[in-house]
Amino acid sequence: MRNIFAVFACLLFFAGPVHSEEVDLELVLLADATGSIDDAEIRFQRSGYAEAVTNPAVLNAITSNIHGKIAVTYVEWADMFSQDVVVEWMVIDSMASAEEFAARLMEPPRRAYGRNAIGAALLKGKELIDTNVHKGLRRVIDLSADSANNWNGPTIAEARDTVVSSGIVINGLAVLCRHCSGRPIAYDLEERFYREIIGGPASFVVTADSPETFADAVRKKLILEIAERPEDSERILNQLARLE
């Protein structure tokens, strides 16, 4: 038994400490997979993110920062017991790595189902940030949803306070397009996002108001999140507008 402990101690010594990889941003993309989203719309959403993350303007935002790379994971969320990590943490620092992320995003089947549990989704995002091997200068959870309901699990207020107090920013993508995921009719979705969901310094909401503009909204959102300085994101978005 003493020899076993000695071998184990030697292995720990030679293995050395685990070093965190430094990146400009740790970004959790939380995508709506609740009951209002059918399988075709799941694919539509994934395609929009895949198109956006491989856009040259988004890559320009990534490479313009200090380290020139970000760590990203994509999660589909539904009820309090259903948050599926579709793409594990990946570092994106080039077109090749962006294309690999996009390819991985389109491969798995849908595995998240249930009624809205935004609070649980936000806490899942925090867990993923707390337990990864990356060390980001900034940490962001990005939640997309076509409603602001929370039918089960922790309340949105409790989860938001926990996330923001830990230094993580929450941004939002309000999905209004009827044909890609539906639209609440009893309240103003963007106002609910601003009032109840987003939080932290410079947090914001971007609106996707039609199927045709979904990928554009995701692209704009990513640029705003990735660019370290507001003037950088404004410059990139202005350049993009001139090219369109």
Side-chain angles (χ1 to χ4, degrees), residues 43 46 86 100 102-110:
R43 304 295 296 178
R46 291 187 188 182
V86 180
E100 182 180 354
R104 292 186 187 183
L105 180 57
M106 301 307 295
E107 290 174 359
R110 176 189 190 161

Side-chain angles (χ1 to χ4, degrees), residues 20-41:
S20 299
E21 180 175 8
E22 293 188 352
V23 294
D24 295 295
L25 174 68
E26 297 170 57
L27 178 61
V28 179
L29 299 173
L30 291 176
D32 192 341
T34 56
S36 61
I37 311 293
D38 63 26
D39 288 351
E41 291 161 349

Side-chain angles (χ1 to χ4, degrees), residues 27-32 41-55 58 72-77 87 92 98-99 101-103 105-106 141-145 171-175 206 208 214-219 221-222 225:
L27 178 61
V28 179
L29 299 173
L30 291 176
D32 192 341
E41 291 161 349
I42 289 288
R43 304 295 296 178
F44 177 84
Q45 290 184 153
R46 291 187 188 182
S47 178
Y49 277 92
E51 180 181 335
V53 80
T54 55
N55 186 276
V58 173
V72 188
T73 182
Y74 187 97
V75 181
E76 288 173 345
W77 63 272
V87 182
I92 297 179
E99 289 176 344
F101 181 91
L105 180 57
M106 301 307 295
I141 293 172
D142 185 318
L143 180 118
S144 72
N171 295 325
L173 175 67
V175 182
V206 170
F214 183 83
D216 290 340
V218 173
R219 179 176 56 183
K221 176 177 61 66
L222 290 178
E225 286 167 335

Side-chain angles (χ1 to χ4, degrees), residues 168-181:
I168 300 172
V169 172
I170 303 170
N171 295 325
L173 175 67
V175 182
L176 303 186
C177 42
R178 290 181 182 275
H179 299 295
C180 63
S181 56

